[in-house]
């Protein structure tokens, strides 16, 4: 098997034993990017010189007998929403096209300490707003399984890069499904940790009460390795959890005997795509074969798209309208020229710098927060959010993990939903409720459609139960193999 097709856990063992070098791994990734990325467009920028220099440093330290970090020499791609000091961080937007981050995100700092090698920054929907990766100022990313289809979004570049073997590991961010849905569309693993488990410091904010950074990997064991490196308390993020980080690797040794797996009727409406429904049901049965037990649960609010999608989009857009106020042409990035006064400069900067979807959301979010509408929309959405959280808490009293589809369909065609925002938003029916509740969830590749497109299955767990989630995901992955 070519080096760029292997997993991080396989490669790191071989590297630590001196069978391969970090330079070979980085060269394999760069060659692969050179060969396929012209078509896939998974990367916004790559850093071959920096990555090779880092690889050489790791190889020299290994030769000198130094103890290396757990991800030593492994190529890793970062979604371009994460700040890397001295490097471009565009967020997929014209407004940040030339922005150079003045500091490292905490995850970037910790991954550097783990000796991972940053290979480049991946494409994304502008400001992480989208489900198809078509809202990028830098052009769409294509699905490596079918170039006429989207890779999912907003972390479509990260999922496509891992699926196309352009990188071994990647990070994405997930506000309403942006790690899990592209992982499902591209046939890779995508994990959204519990809100607060991974520091958001240096992650450019979209909706701060929902955003979470997560691993995009080729298998569950790699997701474990990557989560282990990025999970933990960070005083620079006031919402960061102080709960101790367990040894997630121990989870891989467990099994699912006696585990109660919950299925919610609301997740399987009659109109659901038969292959998508079948994959989740087959996955549940595979867990039963491995010793788990199925239980029926109810999600009367969290399981209903009309509550979840409206609640999610009101809250996400409201927070986005506040977070994106900082892009005013003065503090960051693009600044329109030729204006005669400050108001005009703001107007032109934001009109020219933001794309259509971002502007739509800023306007809708500002509307939902404005006097007279706040109670009807924003406050109501917060109340429904509480009901959604309570729904999950009740379900998890009866089961240990939940299983559901990741998205209502397989990867759709480029352009197919671009003119119908509501249709695009409905992609998130299974994923957005997870962010509203703050719980962890993972997308595991499980089946293939008749058209040979990947179908993932989602597992959900109570807050901070990542070890249980990963143990179940590992069992599911073995069943799928
Ligand atoms: N599709 C959702 C949105 O556009 C989720 C995006 C995300 O998780 N960043 O808001």
């Amino acid at each position: 098997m070519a080096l760029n097709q292997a997993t991080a856990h396989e490669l790191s063992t071989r590297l630590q034993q001196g069978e391969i070098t970090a330079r070979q791994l980085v060269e394999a990734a760069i060659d692969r990017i050179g060969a396929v990325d012209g078509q896939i467009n998974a990367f916004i920028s790559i850093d071959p010189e920096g990555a090779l220099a880092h690889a050489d440093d790791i190889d020299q330290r290994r030769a000198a007998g130094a103890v290396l970090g757990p991800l030593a020499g492994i190529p890793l791609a970062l979604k371009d929403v994460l700040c890397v000091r001295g490097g471009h961080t565009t967020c997929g937007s014209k407004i940040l096209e030339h922005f150079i981050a003045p500091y490292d995100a905490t995850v970037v700092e910790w991954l550097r300490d783990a000796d991972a090698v940053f290979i480049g920054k991946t494409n994304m929907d502008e400001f992480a707003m989208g489900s198809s990766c078509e809202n990028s100022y830098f052009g769409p990313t294509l699905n490596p399984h079918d170039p006429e289809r989207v890779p999912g979004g907003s972390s479509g570049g990260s999922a496509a890069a891992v699926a196309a073997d352009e990188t071994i590991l990647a990070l994405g961010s997930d506000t309403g499904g942006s790690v899990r849905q592209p992982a499902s569309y591209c046939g890779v693993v995508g994990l959204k940790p519990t809100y607060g488990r991974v520091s958001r410091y240096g992650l450019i904010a979209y909706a701060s009460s929902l955003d979470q950074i997560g691993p995009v990997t080729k298998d569950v064991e790699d997701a474990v390795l990557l989560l282990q490196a990025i999970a933990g308390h960070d005083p620079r993020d006031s919402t960061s959890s102080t709960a101790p980080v367990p040894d997630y690797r121990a989870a891989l040794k467990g099994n699912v005997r006696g585990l109660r797996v919950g299925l919610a009727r609301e997740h399987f409406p009659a109109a659901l795509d038969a292959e998508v429904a079948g994959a989740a049901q087959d996955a549940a049965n595979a867990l039963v074969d491995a010793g788990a037990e199925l239980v029926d649960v109810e999600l009367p609010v969290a399981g209903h798209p009309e509550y979840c999608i409206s609640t999610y989009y009101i809250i996400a857009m409201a927070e986005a309208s506040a977070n994106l106020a900082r892009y005013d042409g003065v503090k960051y990035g693009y600044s329109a020229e030729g204006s005669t006064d400050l108001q005009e400069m703001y107007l032109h900067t934001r009109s020219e710098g933001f794309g259509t979807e971002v502007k739509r959301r800023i306007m809708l979010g500002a509307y939902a927060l404005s006097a007279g509408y706040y109670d009807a929309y924003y406050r109501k959405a917060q109340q429904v959010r509480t009901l959604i959280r309570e729904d999950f808490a009740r379900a998890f009293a009866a089961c240990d993990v939940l299983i559901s589809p990741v998205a209502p369909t397989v990867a759709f065609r480029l352009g197919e939903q671009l003119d119908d925002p509501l249709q695009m938003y409905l992609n998130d029916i299974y994923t957005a409720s997870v962010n509203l509740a703050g719980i962890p969830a993972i997308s595991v590749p499980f089946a293939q459609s008749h058209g040979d497109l990947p179908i993932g299955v989602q597992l959900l767990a109570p807050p901070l139960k990542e070890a249980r989630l990963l143990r179940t995901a590992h069992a599911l992955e073995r069943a799928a193999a």
Side-chain angles (χ1 to χ4, degrees):
M1 188 197 283
L3 288 180
N4 55 306
Q5 293 174 311
T7 59
H9 57 91
E10 290 159 355
L11 292 169
S12 84
T13 310
R14 293 178 63 191
L15 190 131
Q16 306 266 5
Q17 285 167 355
E19 278 175 39
I20 50 172
T21 62
R23 173 168 266 271
Q24 284 174 310
L25 294 184
V26 171
E27 277 174 348
I30 293 169
D31 288 352
R32 180 71 182 163
I33 292 170
V36 302
D37 209 58
Q39 195 192 10
I40 294 174
N41 197 30
F43 284 87
I44 290 178
S45 56
I46 59 167
D47 178 21
E49 295 83 24
L52 283 169
H54 190 188
D56 287 342
D57 171 60
I58 289 166
D59 288 333
Q60 277 157 18
R61 280 192 284 134
R62 204 194 73 79
V67 177
L68 300 177
L71 297 175
I74 306 296
L76 187 146
L78 297 165
K79 183 177 180 179
D80 210 11
V81 67
L82 291 162
C83 291
V84 177
R85 186 156 51 87
H88 282 279
T89 300
T90 69
C91 235
S93 182
K94 176 180 177 182
I95 216 160
L96 289 180
E97 185 179 5
H98 302 294
F99 173 67
I100 306 281
Y103 64 93
D104 276 339
T106 295
V107 292
V108 165
E109 203 179 282
W110 291 6
L111 286 168
R112 244 190 249 292
D113 291 345
D115 284 328
V117 178
F118 302 133
I119 198 93
K121 307 290 291 290
T122 55
N123 202 5
M124 55 184 283
D125 288 297
E126 184 177 3
F127 284 98
M129 297 176 187
S131 307
S132 68
C133 219
E134 293 167 292
N135 294 338
S136 170
Y137 176 64
F138 301 93
T141 296
L142 310 187
N143 191 314
H145 294 270
D146 178 350
E148 290 181 2
R149 292 180 187 263
V150 303
S154 65
S155 312
S158 290
V162 173
D165 299 318
E166 295 173 84
T167 181
I168 307 295
L169 299 172
L171 281 186
S173 65
D174 190 314
T175 304
S178 277
V179 161
R180 290 160 286 154
Q181 183 250 24
S184 178
Y185 284 7
C186 291
V188 297
V189 171
L191 168 67
K192 186 208 88 80
T194 306
Y195 184 75
R197 181 71 299 183
V198 176
S199 170
R200 291 182 294 109
Y201 180 79
L203 166 72
I204 294 180
Y206 161 15
S208 309
S209 77
L210 302 160
D211 295 341
Q212 192 62 188
I213 297 167
V216 180
T217 59
K218 295 181 197 225
D219 70 0
V220 174
E221 191 168 342
D222 275 5
V224 166
L225 278 181
L226 195 41
L227 179 66
Q228 198 80 56
I230 60 172
H233 178 63
D234 177 15
R236 291 175 295 188
D237 170 1
S238 64
T239 59
S240 168
S241 170
T242 52
V245 178
D247 180 3
Y248 296 119
R249 278 159 302 202
L252 296 170
K253 299 199 187 80
N255 60 52
V256 294
R257 236 165 277 141
L259 187 86
R260 296 168 304 161
V261 177
L263 280 165
R265 195 171 7 97
E266 294 86 352
H267 280 159
F268 297 90
L272 179 60
D273 177 282
E275 289 183 317
V276 167
Q281 267 141 7
D282 289 350
N285 293 333
L287 290 174
V288 170
D289 290 342
E293 145 198 354
L294 290 190
V295 290
D296 286 327
V297 297
E298 282 179 24
L299 294 173
V301 186
H304 278 290
E306 60 266 43
Y307 300 132
C308 280
I309 293 299
S310 23
T311 301
Y312 168 78
Y313 276 95
I314 289 169
I315 292 175
M317 290 180 189
E319 292 185 17
S321 76
N323 273 327
L324 271 60
R326 72 190 69 173
Y327 305 102
D328 57 7
V330 179
K331 303 185 201 70
Y332 304 95
Y334 179 75
S335 187
E337 283 175 21
S339 309
T340 49
D341 64 36
L342 192 61
Q343 282 302 330
E344 199 183 304
M345 196 276 284
Y346 288 160
L347 180 68
H348 289 155
T349 294
R350 290 166 68 81
S351 302
E352 292 160 23
F354 289 134
T356 312
E357 183 61 25
V358 174
K359 283 190 270 200
R360 176 176 7 250
R361 293 190 189 200
I362 291 173
M363 286 189 278
L364 287 170
Y367 178 82
L369 287 175
S370 58
Y373 296 102
Y374 184 96
D375 284 341
Y377 295 105
Y378 185 70
R379 187 189 303 279
K380 186 64 79 186
Q382 292 293 7
Q383 287 164 340
V384 180
R385 182 176 190 172
T386 300
L387 296 179
I388 290 171
R389 201 179 277 133
E390 287 171 358
D391 253 17
F392 280 114
R394 221 174 296 114
F396 284 126
C399 68
D400 302 308
V401 296
L402 278 161
I403 191 163
S404 81
V406 181
T409 63
V410 293
F412 47 91
R413 289 181 191 283
L414 285 151
E416 194 176 294
Q417 301 187 2
L418 212 46
D419 298 329
D420 186 349
L422 190 57
Q423 190 59 40
M424 189 71 90
Y425 299 166
L426 287 171
N427 278 289
D428 309 330
I429 54 175
Y430 293 107
T431 48
S433 53
V434 165
N435 302 70
L436 289 166
I439 60 177
I442 189 167
S443 170
V444 184
F446 188 76
Q448 295 239 295
S449 72
H450 289 310
D452 276 343
L453 294 167
I455 307 176
V457 167
Q458 181 173 233
L459 296 167
L460 304 77
L464 296 172
K465 298 297 181 202
E466 277 83 3
R468 183 193 299 169
L469 187 71
L470 290 160
R471 176 161 53 92
T472 315
H474 194 49
L476 197 55
E477 178 179 70
R478 275 175 304 194

mmCIF file of all heavy atoms in Angstrom, residues 246-248 251 464-472:
data_model
loop_
_atom_site.group_PDB
_atom_site.id
_atom_site.type_symbol
_atom_site.label_atom_id
_atom_site.label_comp_id
_atom_site.label_asym_id
_atom_site.label_seq_id
_atom_site.Cartn_x
_atom_site.Cartn_y
_atom_site.Cartn_z
ATOM 1 N N PRO A 246 -9.972 11.330 29.514
ATOM 2 C CA PRO A 246 -9.653 9.909 29.699
ATOM 3 C C PRO A 246 -8.660 9.418 28.649
ATOM 4 O O PRO A 246 -8.375 10.131 27.688
ATOM 5 C CB PRO A 246 -11.010 9.222 29.519
ATOM 6 C CG PRO A 246 -11.873 10.181 28.790
ATOM 7 C CD PRO A 246 -11.317 11.555 28.976
ATOM 8 N N ASP A 247 -8.165 8.210 28.843
ATOM 9 C CA ASP A 247 -7.319 7.593 27.826
ATOM 10 C C ASP A 247 -8.252 6.969 26.786
ATOM 11 O O ASP A 247 -8.789 5.882 26.991
ATOM 12 C CB ASP A 247 -6.428 6.519 28.471
ATOM 13 C CG ASP A 247 -5.536 5.846 27.433
ATOM 14 O OD1 ASP A 247 -5.567 6.259 26.249
ATOM 15 O OD2 ASP A 247 -4.817 4.899 27.806
ATOM 16 N N TYR A 248 -8.469 7.686 25.685
ATOM 17 C CA TYR A 248 -9.422 7.205 24.682
ATOM 18 C C TYR A 248 -8.937 5.915 24.008
ATOM 19 O O TYR A 248 -9.732 5.140 23.507
ATOM 20 C CB TYR A 248 -9.669 8.290 23.619
ATOM 21 C CG TYR A 248 -10.331 9.532 24.175
ATOM 22 C CD1 TYR A 248 -9.696 10.773 24.123
ATOM 23 C CD2 TYR A 248 -11.591 9.466 24.755
ATOM 24 C CE1 TYR A 248 -10.299 11.918 24.629
ATOM 25 C CE2 TYR A 248 -12.204 10.599 25.273
ATOM 26 C CZ TYR A 248 -11.558 11.821 25.208
ATOM 27 O OH TYR A 248 -12.157 12.946 25.710
ATOM 28 N N ALA A 251 -10.486 2.759 25.015
ATOM 29 C CA ALA A 251 -11.822 2.471 24.481
ATOM 30 C C ALA A 251 -11.764 1.453 23.348
ATOM 31 O O ALA A 251 -12.700 0.694 23.122
ATOM 32 C CB ALA A 251 -12.462 3.763 23.979
ATOM 33 N N LEU A 464 -19.562 14.226 27.209
ATOM 34 C CA LEU A 464 -18.263 13.731 27.678
ATOM 35 C C LEU A 464 -18.097 12.208 27.608
ATOM 36 O O LEU A 464 -17.114 11.672 28.112
ATOM 37 C CB LEU A 464 -17.959 14.226 29.096
ATOM 38 C CG LEU A 464 -17.815 15.750 29.214
ATOM 39 C CD1 LEU A 464 -17.703 16.173 30.672
ATOM 40 C CD2 LEU A 464 -16.594 16.242 28.424
ATOM 41 N N LYS A 465 -19.030 11.538 26.936
ATOM 42 C CA LYS A 465 -18.909 10.079 26.813
ATOM 43 C C LYS A 465 -18.254 9.709 25.483
ATOM 44 O O LYS A 465 -18.683 8.771 24.796
ATOM 45 C CB LYS A 465 -20.281 9.402 26.964
ATOM 46 C CG LYS A 465 -20.929 9.620 28.323
ATOM 47 C CD LYS A 465 -20.102 9.009 29.448
ATOM 48 C CE LYS A 465 -20.772 9.203 30.799
ATOM 49 N NZ LYS A 465 -19.808 9.101 31.925
ATOM 50 N N GLU A 466 -17.197 10.425 25.119
ATOM 51 C CA GLU A 466 -16.499 10.125 23.864
ATOM 52 C C GLU A 466 -15.922 8.708 23.863
ATOM 53 O O GLU A 466 -15.890 8.054 22.822
ATOM 54 C CB GLU A 466 -15.363 11.128 23.625
ATOM 55 C CG GLU A 466 -15.768 12.439 22.990
ATOM 56 C CD GLU A 466 -16.314 13.449 23.984
ATOM 57 O OE1 GLU A 466 -16.335 13.145 25.198
ATOM 58 O OE2 GLU A 466 -16.728 14.541 23.562
ATOM 59 N N ALA A 467 -15.459 8.242 25.022
ATOM 60 C CA ALA A 467 -14.839 6.908 25.042
ATOM 61 C C ALA A 467 -15.874 5.850 24.645
ATOM 62 O O ALA A 467 -15.600 4.959 23.837
ATOM 63 C CB ALA A 467 -14.259 6.611 26.423
ATOM 64 N N ARG A 468 -17.084 5.983 25.195
ATOM 65 C CA ARG A 468 -18.163 5.051 24.851
ATOM 66 C C ARG A 468 -18.520 5.166 23.358
ATOM 67 O O ARG A 468 -18.731 4.169 22.665
ATOM 68 C CB ARG A 468 -19.383 5.368 25.710
ATOM 69 C CG ARG A 468 -20.545 4.418 25.501
ATOM 70 C CD ARG A 468 -21.809 4.952 26.136
ATOM 71 N NE ARG A 468 -21.698 5.124 27.575
ATOM 72 C CZ ARG A 468 -22.604 5.784 28.321
ATOM 73 N NH1 ARG A 468 -23.667 6.313 27.742
ATOM 74 N NH2 ARG A 468 -22.441 5.918 29.614
ATOM 75 N N LEU A 469 -18.587 6.396 22.900
ATOM 76 C CA LEU A 469 -18.925 6.662 21.496
ATOM 77 C C LEU A 469 -17.896 5.997 20.567
ATOM 78 O O LEU A 469 -18.243 5.337 19.582
ATOM 79 C CB LEU A 469 -18.936 8.172 21.281
ATOM 80 C CG LEU A 469 -19.407 8.696 19.943
ATOM 81 C CD1 LEU A 469 -20.917 8.502 19.801
ATOM 82 C CD2 LEU A 469 -19.085 10.188 19.808
ATOM 83 N N LEU A 470 -16.630 6.163 20.905
ATOM 84 C CA LEU A 470 -15.554 5.642 20.055
ATOM 85 C C LEU A 470 -15.493 4.115 20.102
ATOM 86 O O LEU A 470 -15.202 3.458 19.104
ATOM 87 C CB LEU A 470 -14.219 6.265 20.484
ATOM 88 C CG LEU A 470 -14.112 7.759 20.142
ATOM 89 C CD1 LEU A 470 -13.048 8.450 20.989
ATOM 90 C CD2 LEU A 470 -13.819 7.964 18.655
ATOM 91 N N ARG A 471 -15.780 3.565 21.276
ATOM 92 C CA ARG A 471 -15.803 2.107 21.411
ATOM 93 C C ARG A 471 -16.904 1.528 20.516
ATOM 94 O O ARG A 471 -16.703 0.536 19.811
ATOM 95 C CB ARG A 471 -16.058 1.773 22.890
ATOM 96 C CG ARG A 471 -16.205 0.323 23.228
ATOM 97 C CD ARG A 471 -15.977 0.103 24.729
ATOM 98 N NE ARG A 471 -16.813 0.949 25.582
ATOM 99 C CZ ARG A 471 -18.018 0.591 26.061
ATOM 100 N NH1 ARG A 471 -18.511 -0.584 25.790
ATOM 101 N NH2 ARG A 471 -18.710 1.411 26.819
ATOM 102 N N THR A 472 -18.066 2.171 20.517
ATOM 103 C CA THR A 472 -19.174 1.708 19.680
ATOM 104 C C THR A 472 -18.832 1.891 18.197
ATOM 105 O O THR A 472 -19.096 1.016 17.367
ATOM 106 C CB THR A 472 -20.467 2.481 20.030
ATOM 107 O OG1 THR A 472 -20.588 2.542 21.452
ATOM 108 C CG2 THR A 472 -21.682 1.810 19.444
#
